[in-house]
Amino acid sequence: MPLTSNSRVYLLTLVAYLGAFIFGYDTGVAGGVLQMRGFRQDFDLLSKSSSDLVNITSHVVSILQGGCFFGALLAAPLSEKIGRKGALLVVSIVFLVGASVQVAGTGKLSYFYSGRFLSGLGVGAMSMLGPTYVAEVAPKEVRGRITGLFQVCLTIGIAISYWIVYGVNVHFPSSTVQWRIPIGFQITPVGVMFFLLFFCRESPRWLARHNQEERSLTNLAWFRKLPIDHPSIGEEFTEILATVKEEREGRGALHECFRKGHLIRFGIAFSMFTLQQWSGQNSIGYYAPEVFTSIGIGGTNTTLFASGIYGLVKIIATTIFLSVGIEQIGRKKSLIFGAFFMGVFFFILGALFNTHQPDPKASHASSASIAMAVMIYLYVIPYCFSWGPVPWVYCSEIFSNNLRSYGVAWAAATQWLWNFVVSYVTPMLEAKLAKGGVFFFFASINIISCIYAFFLPETRGLALEEMDLLFGAVTVESRRRDRLVVHHELTGERYIVPRDNYKGRTVSVAMRDVRVRHSEPDPGESLEMGRDGSSENDMDGKSLGISRSEIYLNEASVEKHKVWTIPE
């Protein structure tokens, strides 16, 4: 499929994932800003003890995650009420207010904290809304690649934060401008996203679920760059309406998230993001300058430069994986092999640290310190090939259409909950687990993740509507029946299951039920069927009502007719 056929989906992705960019930017910028002398001067931190600075650092970094946690949860009902696009517009405003408060505040950390929390509400909501919005418009053939761009935008945001911090640290030493530039920059991408969202179209799946079928079909055809009457549009739209029908019949209501086939998906989302957050990447991402200092890469500018290189490695690795890996290798294998190599590199890093502890007074980095830096760079490559992008892809696609916003909100909230915990305890872990212990800790978790991934089902190449079948929430029989019913409603065409498949019984697939006739019709008799499934010249024979799940409808054996024809 040529790239141009999905150009509108890619454009929407770039707009919606400016939220992912700011997610990454805020992740990377905090650690660097807190080291700036200009920031410490403005907030009277120069006289603080090292223990006080550790606590303040944990508060400044972690309070954003607290806001993100609540923002992710609140975004689900908001997006269900006003749509994916409308919700993104609202949370963009919330973020812009919070960012403005951060830039304007001076002297009191309470202003900075409040701005961080408001920005966190916006970032958390964007982290849920972006993948949901994009997954619902992306075609199944390239959904993994398109949805996975979330991680590319995130890593670009992290890298740019490192380089901006490095730049202002070099060119604006010890001034109030030094920290206001990196903090104020975050207003730009969100402002651009807010403006461009007015030119985007709403999710077809959200529209279909909210009784706007005509707009849903129009938007679906627009995203696919195909005419409304194209066969592939009709097939995809039929699948969408079949899931809507199931929801309205009670098989997809919110309370059913605790029933068979749904609860396991919420469990997967929670466990997957728990393991992702404890993989060690966040600890390095938030505190990259401190981590590089701890392994013997000394000097403020040197550590910031090393952090910038780390960010570039992530961008390149993630882009390569999404271009040639995720649709070819699949989700499951990526997670298995990625976690294995992440664990291996962290074990090596821990062993090097334990046997060649850096000298904090050394003027130059030792060969062992350089080797440890290389291990960090090597570790992040399999991370970008697996546990970085794949959880966002996987969790945005496994939920049914009516539960997707709640499922992705649950996943994002889990991510932000552990993000908060990990960012808060990392300075303490580094202090308590000395001599490389913290790297052994994260390496062990990655090996556990490797084993965990063996038990996940593969979702590559499946339509979003097929996820209910994969996890057993609906049966193949009921889904096929619903597709036939929806096709009938859209086209007016009728279907019959040949009588010889049921040993002499004629089976009529009705709009509301299934009936079995025991009386024999005259040869060649045709029955015109009404929209409710009733016969206009019903026979006097016995009719027996049965449940719709008792007959298996093999789609390949169904003959299509304008009238229901009983074969001789």
Side-chain angles (χ1 to χ4, degrees), residues 19 22-24 26-27 60-76 91 94-95 102 113-129 186 277 286 392 408-420 423:
I22 206 64
F23 170 6
D26 270 1
T27 297
V60 170
V61 171
S62 301
I63 198 166
L64 179 82
Q65 281 70 42
C68 289
F69 173 80
F70 292 106
L73 292 177
L74 293 173
V91 300
V94 174
F95 177 88
Q102 290 179 68
Y113 288 159
S114 61
R116 290 281 287 178
F117 183 79
L118 283 174
S119 293
L121 290 175
V123 172
M126 292 176 205
S127 70
M128 171 265 158
L129 293 168
Q186 60 189 330
Q277 292 303 298
Y286 277 111
W392 291 104
V408 179
W410 170 257
T414 301
Q415 189 269 161
W416 287 114
L417 171 65
W418 292 119
N419 202 312
F420 172 86
S423 64

Side-chain angles (χ1 to χ4, degrees), residues 160-400:
I160 288 180
S161 74
Y162 290 158
W163 287 108
I164 289 180
V165 168
Y166 174 74
V168 297
N169 202 65
V170 171
H171 297 288
F172 300 96
S174 303
S175 67
T176 189
V177 176
Q178 186 184 50
W179 68 270
R180 292 185 194 275
I181 290 177
I183 294 296
F185 175 80
Q186 60 189 330
I187 295 174
T188 303
V190 178
V192 171
M193 179 177 72
F194 179 81
F195 174 75
L196 292 178
L197 276 171
F198 287 100
F199 301 96
C200 297
R201 297 201 179 189
E202 184 56 83
S203 161
R205 286 173 168 84
W206 184 88
L207 291 170
R209 292 185 52 249
H210 289 78
N211 302 311
Q212 300 183 55
E213 288 85 358
E214 186 173 342
R215 276 188 65 197
S216 173
L217 179 59
T218 301
N219 285 8
L220 181 64
W222 185 83
F223 279 117
R224 300 293 179 265
K225 300 179 75 172
L226 293 170
I228 290 178
D229 58 354
H230 193 277
S232 64
I233 296 297
E235 181 179 352
E236 186 173 0
F237 191 59
T238 297
E239 286 283 358
I240 293 173
L241 293 186
T243 60
V244 172
K245 182 177 185 298
E246 290 164 4
E247 175 191 344
R248 290 173 181 170
E249 288 178 351
R251 293 202 298 270
L254 179 58
H255 68 275
E256 294 205 355
C257 66
F258 298 103
R259 296 188 180 181
K260 178 184 177 182
H262 293 296
L263 183 60
I264 188 174
R265 286 181 268 188
F266 283 86
I268 288 173
F270 179 84
S271 56
M272 184 174 286
F273 272 104
T274 298
L275 292 171
Q276 185 211 50
Q277 292 303 298
W278 285 100
S279 67
Q281 156 55 27
N282 266 10
S283 295
I284 296 176
Y286 277 111
Y287 301 101
E290 291 91 334
V291 171
F292 283 107
T293 299
S294 71
I295 64 173
I297 308 296
T300 301
N301 289 344
T302 303
T303 57
L304 291 176
F305 183 81
S307 302
I309 296 296
Y310 177 77
L312 290 179
V313 171
K314 289 182 66 177
I315 294 174
I316 295 171
T318 305
T319 303
I320 292 173
F321 172 66
L322 293 177
S323 299
V324 301
I326 192 167
E327 299 297 353
Q328 290 77 9
I329 301 173
R331 286 55 156 162
K332 182 174 180 177
K333 289 181 180 178
S334 299
L335 292 172
I336 292 172
F337 290 107
F340 175 77
F341 285 107
M342 288 157 59
V344 167
F345 288 131
F346 259 161
F347 273 126
I348 295 173
L349 175 58
L352 285 170
F353 194 97
N354 185 266
T355 57
H356 299 78
Q357 293 187 38
D359 181 4
K361 298 180 180 180
S363 58
H364 299 285
S366 66
S367 57
S369 294
I370 294 174
M372 285 185 266
V374 170
M375 285 301 107
I376 291 177
Y377 293 145
L378 289 177
Y379 154 82
V380 82
I381 292 175
Y383 174 82
C384 293
F385 274 36
S386 57
W387 287 86
V390 173
W392 291 104
V393 174
Y394 200 87
C395 292
S396 65
E397 65 188 5
I398 61 173
F399 293 99
S400 56

Side-chain angles (χ1 to χ4, degrees), residues 461-498:
L462 297 178
L464 293 179
E465 288 70 30
E466 293 178 286
M467 299 300 170
D468 285 341
L469 300 174
L470 178 66
F471 288 95
V474 297
T475 62
V476 175
E477 296 87 344
S478 64
R479 174 56 59 80
R480 284 174 172 157
R481 183 196 71 86
D482 290 335
R483 287 192 64 191
L484 294 179
V485 171
V486 170
H487 185 90
H488 166 80
E489 292 175 337
L490 291 175
T491 66
E493 295 176 338
R494 309 290 195 264
Y495 293 85
I496 185 171
V497 180

Side-chain angles (χ1 to χ4, degrees), residues 30-59:
V33 167
L34 291 169
Q35 286 198 46
M36 293 180 181
R37 184 174 180 85
F39 182 86
R40 296 185 177 184
Q41 282 179 338
D42 284 354
F43 290 95
D44 195 23
L45 303 179
L46 292 176
S47 59
K48 298 291 184 181
S49 65
S50 58
S51 60
D52 288 338
L53 287 175
V54 167
N55 290 331
I56 292 172
T57 299
S58 294
H59 293 153

Side-chain angles (χ1 to χ4, degrees), residues 422-449:
V422 170
S423 64
Y424 193 84
V425 304
T426 291
M428 305 170 198
L429 284 176
E430 290 180 346
K432 298 292 184 182
L433 300 177
K435 299 183 179 180
V438 67
F439 300 117
F440 289 125
F441 173 75
F442 288 130
S444 301
I445 292 177
N446 287 323
I447 297 303
I448 293 173
S449 299

Side-chain angles (χ1 to χ4, degrees), residues 56-110:
I56 292 172
T57 299
S58 294
H59 293 153
V60 170
V61 171
S62 301
I63 198 166
L64 179 82
Q65 281 70 42
C68 289
F69 173 80
F70 292 106
L73 292 177
L74 293 173
L78 180 65
S79 68
E80 284 299 303
K81 184 70 175 179
I82 64 176
R84 317 311 191 205
K85 172 183 171 180
L88 273 175
L89 287 169
V90 171
V91 300
S92 297
I93 295 174
V94 174
F95 177 88
L96 291 172
V97 172
S100 300
V101 172
Q102 290 179 68
V103 175
T106 302
K108 293 184 179 180
L109 281 173
S110 57

